[in-house]
Amino acid sequence: MAQRTTADETLPREELAAYLQELATEFGSESEEVSIRVGNKNVSLNPPHNVDVSVETVERSSMLRGNRETVEIELSWKP
């Protein structure tokens, strides 16, 4: 059974950068366990040495809704 933890929030760019740096520090540590903050919860994961990375960007222009840009970063692995 899959357990999913999600959180959606709006952050200032400085806080977003700090969060991404926090993730980078966790993945760059010597520990086998990675702790990821998701909303008000910490989730512990055990990624292997090699992790699959997928980055997707989308730029949309709409006369009615204006411009919208998104970046999706997905990290995946099999423990």
Side-chain angles (χ1 to χ4, degrees):
M1 182 163 109
Q3 186 170 350
R4 184 179 302 257
T5 303
T6 62
D8 294 321
E9 51 189 323
T10 300
L11 300 173
R13 288 175 58 169
E14 302 83 33
E15 288 182 33
L16 171 61
Y19 179 73
L20 293 173
Q21 183 61 51
E22 186 181 313
L23 285 177
T25 299
E26 283 291 319
F27 276 92
S29 75
E30 296 291 324
S31 174
E32 289 184 23
E33 186 175 272
V34 171
S35 180
I36 299 176
R37 180 173 45 93
V38 182
N40 62 354
K41 181 179 178 182
N42 281 329
V43 178
S44 295
L45 303 172
N46 296 295
H49 182 70
N50 292 314
V51 175
D52 296 327
V53 179
S54 174
V55 178
E56 177 183 355
T57 63
V58 178
E59 302 166 86
R60 291 189 181 111
S61 180
S62 171
M63 293 183 72
L64 298 176
R65 291 186 243 169
N67 296 337
R68 179 150 180 95
E69 301 171 335
T70 60
V71 176
E72 290 186 25
I73 301 170
E74 180 178 322
L75 309 174
S76 62
W77 58 86
K78 291 183 181 178

